[in-house]
Amino acid sequence: MAKAPRFQQIKDYIVNKIEQQVWPVGARIPTEHELCAQFNVSRMTVNKAVRDLVNEGRLERTPRLGTFVTQPKAESPLMDIRNIADEVTARGQTYRSDIRTLKRISASADVAMRLGVMLGTDVFFSEIVHYADNVPLQLEQRWVNPALAPDYLHQDFSQHTPNEYLSQVCPVNTIEHTVEAIIASDSVRQALAMKADEPCLLLHRRTWSQQTLVSAALLYHPGARYKLTSRTDR
């Protein structure tokens, strides 16, 4: 069997060091000059290996300081709805949540428009922070139509997520997604432990079951730790 190209061998070597925690998150890897000498290859070969790992989110270059191991960004599909707890555990991380609010409210003009109900209608509201390995990954603010999920307020969302519960009681057949980059408010930054200058990704999501709006959600993500992807097969 033919050996892998030299740049791939260098990539595999770096990834192996990262996965074995020889080079943990935040560690500086050897310079390209040092890797060239170690593997007896050209600078171009080492550069391709390192550049690929930077593009894959495993490494981060800092001008004048070097190349460092970075925490890979959590990733979610944009064109689908996945249970965030399942996503976190699938990456080998520990999931937990902090239920900040779970109550009945009177729909304001904004909420009424989001959820497609009359102004002043009673709706359910929840605010939950989702964590991966005790690092906040998503702030979820969700409004739910009580007519479709009357037992929403009685759920223990420390044991299952709103997404999981709603998918069971009113299966989704239509999804609406809008994504924008925003400057997070102080409360959002605090909930997600974000730096003052860190970008924030906001996903607006509405879901329908049998042509009726079930819920509207605002999903805030720290841009430095999260990304959304989309794939279309043709």
Side-chain angles (χ1 to χ4, degrees):
M1 181 180 297
K3 288 185 178 181
R6 293 292 278 165
F7 84 89
Q8 185 62 53
Q9 293 178 39
I10 298 169
K11 280 184 64 176
D12 293 343
Y13 169 79
I14 296 172
V15 169
N16 186 56
K17 292 290 188 182
I18 294 172
E19 292 182 346
Q20 291 184 358
Q21 292 291 299
V22 176
W23 296 338
V25 172
R28 186 175 69 84
I29 71 167
T31 66
E32 291 188 5
H33 178 74
E34 291 169 334
L35 289 171
C36 288
Q38 180 177 344
F39 288 92
N40 193 27
V41 296
S42 69
R43 181 74 174 270
M44 182 181 298
T45 300
V46 170
N47 182 265
K48 176 169 174 50
V50 173
R51 186 173 66 250
D52 283 359
L53 290 173
V54 169
N55 292 337
E56 292 169 15
R58 285 187 170 269
L59 298 176
E60 181 178 32
R61 283 191 170 111
T62 301
R64 296 184 297 278
L65 293 179
T67 302
F68 297 83
V69 179
T70 186
Q71 179 70 50
K73 289 186 179 182
E75 182 175 349
S76 290
L78 181 57
M79 303 304 292
D80 197 2
I81 294 182
R82 301 262 183 95
N83 182 16
I84 191 169
D86 293 339
E87 289 184 3
V88 170
T89 55
R91 292 192 292 270
Q93 298 174 299
T94 300
Y95 169 81
R96 74 172 179 88
S97 62
D98 174 20
I99 296 86
R100 298 160 64 97
T101 303
L102 183 61
K103 63 183 180 181
R104 182 189 300 268
I105 65 171
S106 177
S108 64
D110 178 68
V111 171
M113 182 178 65
R114 290 181 188 277
L115 204 52
V117 297
M118 296 291 291
L119 179 66
T121 300
D122 280 356
V123 300
F124 298 149
F125 174 69
S126 59
E127 183 176 60
I128 300 174
V129 180
H130 302 279
Y131 294 78
D133 287 345
N134 287 321
V135 177
L137 188 63
Q138 181 189 91
L139 171 63
E140 171 189 333
Q141 296 176 341
R142 185 183 296 271
W143 297 266
V144 176
N145 187 336
L148 281 84
D151 294 326
Y152 187 79
L153 297 184
H154 302 297
Q155 302 307 304
D156 182 359
F157 289 127
S158 67
Q159 299 300 313
H160 53 257
T161 65
N163 172 277
E164 183 180 4
Y165 169 70
L166 292 173
S167 295
Q168 292 174 354
V169 299
C170 37
V172 172
N173 55 23
T174 303
I175 308 166
E176 177 186 272
H177 279 159
T178 304
V179 181
E180 61 177 327
I182 67 167
I183 298 174
S185 66
D186 290 343
S187 61
V188 170
R189 283 203 308 270
Q190 182 178 8
L192 294 175
M194 294 172 57
K195 298 177 182 178
D197 60 348
E198 185 175 349
C200 182
L201 291 177
L202 172 58
L203 172 62
H204 301 254
R205 174 184 291 165
R206 295 201 297 174
T207 55
W208 284 258
S209 180
Q210 301 300 321
Q211 287 71 56
T212 302
L213 256 170
V214 176
S215 77
L218 297 179
L219 307 175
Y220 298 87
H221 310 89
R225 284 175 255 141
Y226 202 86
K227 62 181 177 180
L228 296 162
T229 61
S230 177
R231 173 177 171 174
T232 302
D233 294 320
R234 295 185 178 182

